[in-house]
Amino acid sequence: ELIDRKQLADLKIMCLNLKYPEVEAKKVYGVKYFEELEYLTQNIARNKYIRNLALALNGNTLCLFQLVEKHGEILFKLIKEKVDPKRKVFFVYGGTETNDREKIRAITEKSDNAIIIASFGTFSTGINIRNLHNIVFSSPSKSRVRALQSIGRGLRRSESKDTATLFDIADDFTYKSKKNFTINHFLERINIYNEEQFNYQI
């Protein structure tokens, strides 16, 4: 309703469904959820895909992750290695001081091309960046609250922004008709988007 009234930015959701070859699907067939998550976070091709996506996007980009050492630090390092030196890149997690988070928020408000790699816990709530153009879900989650709160970070309007884009990364390891945890979580998120009448493309 707030989007329709133009009080919040228009939201576009691009669902990027990564289909893995059978040899990789076999590796996660029948494993526990945490083992699948760990496999994803250590997947070099997937992490490079997220890096390339973040670098290709125009505007301020928030890349959200779940595991700090096993994923966030890896993404930060990969992005820092390839980013244009003029482009600001920030890393925010639970150990980042509140003052530093506020400084990052203030810098991003004045910037038009910053990248923030942040944990869901620190940036899904409590921080409002009006000038946020893109959000990337780099870790799978089925939490309705987490998804909607994270989307909410990008919906503030500003003079230079009236549209926000969410890039929802899904991972399909379906093998012998058995769906993996993270593709099922993606389907849960699609249910949320349908209920909220968000515009999305797969």
Side-chain angles (χ1 to χ4, degrees):
E1 287 171 11
L2 292 170
I3 290 170
D4 289 342
R5 282 192 241 143
K6 306 293 182 193
Q7 286 174 256
L8 290 178
D10 277 335
L11 174 68
K12 288 192 303 185
I13 301 176
M14 303 297 291
C15 301
L16 306 171
N17 188 10
L18 308 183
K19 176 72 180 157
Y20 290 77
E22 189 175 290
V23 66
E24 290 213 42
K26 278 182 186 173
K27 290 178 188 173
V28 296
Y29 180 69
V31 302
K32 293 178 178 147
Y33 169 63
F34 188 77
E35 292 170 312
E36 184 179 317
L37 187 59
E38 202 158 87
Y39 183 80
L40 284 176
T41 59
Q42 304 300 306
N43 189 299
I44 295 166
R46 184 182 190 273
N47 286 332
K48 285 184 176 176
Y49 178 87
I50 295 168
R51 174 198 66 193
N52 294 342
L53 172 65
L55 293 177
L57 295 174
N58 293 319
N60 292 324
T61 298
L62 175 63
C63 184
L64 292 165
F65 64 84
Q66 207 165 308
L67 303 173
V68 178
E69 289 170 11
K70 288 181 176 172
H71 202 206
E73 288 179 359
I74 292 169
L75 290 176
F76 179 60
K77 186 170 175 249
L78 282 172
I79 288 169
K80 281 290 279 183
E81 282 171 0
K82 292 279 184 181
V83 75
D84 183 323
K86 294 178 196 152
R87 196 170 182 186
K88 292 183 171 67
V89 181
F90 303 105
F91 182 51
V92 184
Y93 65 106
T96 308
E97 295 291 337
T98 308
N99 288 346
D100 292 333
R101 290 184 211 179
E102 180 51 34
K103 281 179 197 162
I104 291 167
R105 189 199 66 76
I107 292 168
T108 308
E109 284 284 12
K110 295 190 183 96
S111 176
D112 62 1
N113 212 16
I115 299 173
I116 304 170
I117 298 112
S119 64
F120 272 107
T122 53
F123 257 64
S124 58
T125 60
I127 291 188
N128 278 317
I129 301 175
R130 285 175 305 167
N131 202 22
L132 195 58
H133 305 90
N134 309 296
I135 299 173
V136 179
F137 281 179
S138 67
S139 292
S141 172
K142 64 175 180 178
S143 165
R144 179 186 186 83
V145 172
R146 177 179 275 181
L148 293 177
Q149 285 177 337
S150 300
I151 288 167
R153 298 310 93 206
L155 293 184
R156 297 281 300 275
R157 290 175 78 94
S158 71
E159 289 172 17
S160 65
K161 183 196 100 177
D162 54 17
T163 303
T165 306
L166 167 66
F167 295 87
D168 184 335
I169 297 174
D171 299 273
D172 186 355
F173 287 98
T174 302
Y175 181 64
K176 292 184 175 176
S177 78
K178 180 177 165 59
K179 286 187 167 65
N180 55 300
F181 289 106
T182 51
I183 199 68
N184 282 326
H185 291 177
F186 168 63
L187 297 174
E188 297 263 354
R189 293 196 298 279
I190 290 294
N191 286 336
I192 295 166
Y193 303 155
N194 284 325
E195 286 168 22
E196 299 295 333
Q197 296 174 21
F198 290 152
N199 293 320
Y200 66 88
Q201 281 179 281
I202 300 176

